[in-house]
Structure formats: structure tokens, C-alpha cells
């Protein structure tokens, strides 16, 4: 696994306060969180990874609890303490971003912020990631769900630790706790049976179970993808996300126009 963010196509990274990831025409973004290796962070309400941990290569990423403040620590899943974590085996540089929740923290949110840097409207956002379980405790119904929020106002970090104005959980992207009956203790989230891969093309979504809304991210518009780590009953499992990929696809009319343009160009070259 590569240890840096990969931006393909016409994507790039923004700079400055509250920096977002610029996502271009038919381009893909990936993040494996390996840049968090050996990084720790003190308690904070909203963690802006680019500001707090610039060497992690996580521009545009934020983590925050529903209430209070949480630290960021490496963990093998060996003990239960409410916090944000980057999980991995002892001595391994391969990491997964995750958390263990308590009633004090409530749900814990991981958010990545994008901006459409192209000249075309995005009508489909494909989200891929791998969910990993790194601890089994007394909870048996822990989960992580995924939501989307196109922004109509200026981004603020108060948007991170709430589901307000986000979509309902996107079908096909919820990671449910896998080990629900084993003894309490650490797990290897990379082992068979303790992880699951997800991929879903989002073309529409609902908010508060309302009518379906079509995805439409205009040029220059920002949108957020949010992973919500639930605060399950009893001591939560250690749940993490890894190998995130986001692909933005423009409206069909744009693709058709590009196809016609390329065909015309090929025809002219053939004649010449």
C-alpha cells in the first residue's frame, strides 16, 4: 500500500485554512491513513488533520465527537478507552482511522471535504472503503454508516460532528460489527472475517427520510463525505475505516459531448 494520498486525473490539493481536496473531472481520490503511523494528538473537539498533523497527508480530513474532546492515539485494540484511533498491528505502519465511543463522546465522526474543481457538474459520487474491526468488547451491534452533504453555505468545522443537513445513511455502505460473540479483547482488523469492503455509486439521497434528491455538485461547489461511528449499547467495538476511494463522475451530457469531440478529432486526424 502506498503511504500518500493519490489524486488522479485533474485533481489536486487546496491550501490555506480549512483546506479541502479539489476533485476534478472524472478523477479519483484515495486515502489509506498510513501517514498516521507514529502520530499522537491531544484532546480536541474537532481535529483538523492538515493543521494538527500536516505530515499525515490528510488534507481535508476532520474527526470529532458529538460532545467533549477526544485524543488521537495508535492502538492495536488491546484496551477500551473512548477516543479516536489509528488502528494497526504492533510495529506495523499500515493504519486504519477509527474510534471507540463512550456515552461521554457520543457518536464519533470522520469527515472529508471536497470541492468540484472542474467546469462540469458531478451527478454521481462513488464511495469505496474497507471497514475493519480491531476490538471486540461488550457491544454486539456497533456500526459505521456513510453520509453525503453537498454544501450550500461556507464550510465550518461545526458541520463535522453532527448529522444535521447530511443525508440519511447511504444504502450499501454501512459497516456492521462482525465479531459479536467472541471474548473481549484485541482483534486483527486485517484478518479474514474481521473486515469488509464496500462500494456504492451515489446518484441520489434522502434527508430525514424525505423525498429523494439527485446528486448535483456544481463547479466550485463543495461537498462532504461523513463516516459516523455509532455509540452502541455497552462498551463499543474498535471500528475503523481504510482504503477510502472517492470517484466523481460528471453529468451524462458532458460525457457524451466529450465522446463526440474525441470522435471528431480522430476523424480529422485520419483525414490529414
Amino acid at each position: 500500500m502506498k503511504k500518500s494520498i493519490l489524486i488522479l486525473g485533474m485533481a489536486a490539493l487546496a491550501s490555506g485554512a480549512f483546506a479541502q481536496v479539489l476533485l476534478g473531472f472524472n478523477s479519483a481520490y484515495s486515502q489509506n491513513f498510513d501517514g498516521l503511523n507514529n502520530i499522537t494528538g491531544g484532546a480536541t473537539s474537532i481535529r483538523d488533520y492538515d493543521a494538527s498533523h500536516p505530515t499525515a497527508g490528510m488534507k481535508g480530513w476532520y474527526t470529532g465527537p458529538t460532545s467533549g474532546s477526544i485524543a488521537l492515539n495508535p492502538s492495536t485494540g488491546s484496551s477500551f478507552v473512548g477516543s479516536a484511533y489509528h488502528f494497526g498491528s504492533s510495529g506495523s505502519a499500515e493504519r486504519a482511522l477509527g474510534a471507540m465511543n463512550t456515552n461521554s463522546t457520543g457518536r464519533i465522526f470522520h469527515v472529508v471535504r471536497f470541492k468540484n474543481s472542474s467546469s462540469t457538474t458531478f451527478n454521481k459520487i462513488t464511495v469505496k472503503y474497507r471497514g475493519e474491526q480491531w476490538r471486540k468488547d461488550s457491544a454486539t451491534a456497533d456500526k459505521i454508516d456513510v453520509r453525503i452533504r453537498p454544501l450550500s453555505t461556507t464550510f465550518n468545522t461545526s458541520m463535522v460532528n453532527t448529522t444535521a443537513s447530511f443525508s440519511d445513511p447511504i444504502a450499501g455502505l454501512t459497516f456492521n460489527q462482525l465479531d459479536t460473540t467472541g471474548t473481549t479483547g484485541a482483534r486483527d482488523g486485517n484478518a479474514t472475517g474481521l473486515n469488509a469492503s464496500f462500494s456504492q455509486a451515489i446518484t441520489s439521497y434522502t434527508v430525514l427520510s424525505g423525498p429523494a434528491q439527485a446528486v448535483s455538485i456544481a463547479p466550485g461547489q463543495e461537498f462532504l463525505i461523513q463516516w459516523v461511528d455509532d455509540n452502541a449499547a455497552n462498551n463499543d467495538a474498535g471500528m475503523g475505516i481504510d482504503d477510502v476511494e472517492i470517484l466523481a463522475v460528471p453529468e451524462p451530457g458532458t460525457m457524451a459531448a466529450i465522446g463526440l469531440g474525441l470522435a471528431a478529432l480522430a476523424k480529422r486526424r485520419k483525414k490529414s
Side-chain angles (χ1 to χ4, degrees):
M1 292 169 53
K2 296 183 179 178
K3 291 179 130 183
S4 61
I5 292 175
L6 300 178
I7 304 292
L8 308 176
M10 296 172 63
L13 291 175
S15 60
F18 298 150
Q20 73 276 65
V21 178
L22 300 183
L23 199 61
F25 162 72
N26 205 31
S27 61
Y29 163 91
S30 66
Q31 173 61 261
N32 62 23
F33 308 107
D34 292 357
L36 288 172
N37 187 38
N38 297 321
I39 286 179
T40 60
T44 184
S45 58
I46 301 295
R47 185 172 306 279
D48 176 344
Y49 288 91
D50 188 49
S52 301
H53 315 292
T55 61
M58 289 177 60
K59 190 183 293 289
W61 281 88
Y62 306 84
T63 291
T66 301
S67 60
S69 298
I70 55 174
L72 173 70
N73 291 295
S75 177
T76 61
S78 60
S79 61
F80 175 78
V81 178
S83 184
Y85 293 99
H86 51 91
F87 291 112
S89 300
S90 180
S92 174
E94 198 278 322
R95 316 308 294 171
L97 178 64
M100 285 187 269
N101 313 56
T102 65
N103 289 337
S104 296
T105 66
R107 293 183 292 183
I108 294 177
F109 307 82
H110 307 293
V111 170
V112 60
R113 176 187 173 202
F114 293 96
K115 180 179 181 179
N116 180 355
S117 64
S118 76
S119 59
T120 63
T121 297
F122 297 154
N123 293 104
K124 180 169 69 175
I125 304 295
T126 297
V127 176
K128 300 179 181 181
Y129 80 102
R130 188 168 94 147
E132 300 176 355
Q133 182 177 344
W134 284 89
R135 179 176 177 80
K136 161 65 177 70
D137 214 290
S138 53
T140 60
D142 207 352
K143 65 180 180 179
I144 297 175
D145 63 52
V146 181
R147 303 167 188 243
I148 188 171
R149 179 181 176 180
L151 295 186
S152 57
T153 59
T154 302
F155 173 79
N156 188 286
T157 55
S158 65
M159 298 175 180
V160 170
N161 59 342
T162 177
T163 57
S165 298
F166 276 87
S167 71
D168 298 319
I170 301 298
L173 290 176
T174 297
F175 173 47
N176 292 300
Q177 179 179 346
L178 295 171
D179 185 345
T180 62
T181 60
T183 58
T184 295
R187 298 291 187 271
D188 180 354
N190 289 316
T192 301
L194 290 169
N195 56 74
S197 296
F198 301 89
S199 178
Q200 186 65 42
I202 306 171
T203 57
S204 65
Y205 59 92
T206 61
V207 177
L208 298 176
S209 300
Q213 303 180 39
V215 169
S216 181
I217 312 295
Q221 185 177 1
E222 296 187 13
F223 67 98
L224 308 176
I225 302 295
Q226 179 188 63
W227 285 261
V228 182
D229 192 323
D230 194 32
N231 180 29
N234 302 313
N235 290 349
D236 280 30
M239 307 275 279
I241 62 173
D242 201 358
D243 297 332
V244 170
E245 295 182 34
I246 308 294
L247 173 67
V249 179
E251 57 192 1
T254 300
M255 295 298 292
I258 291 173
L260 289 173
L262 291 175
L265 179 60
K267 187 175 182 179
R268 287 198 300 269
R269 286 180 174 177
K270 186 176 181 179
K271 287 183 176 179
S272 62

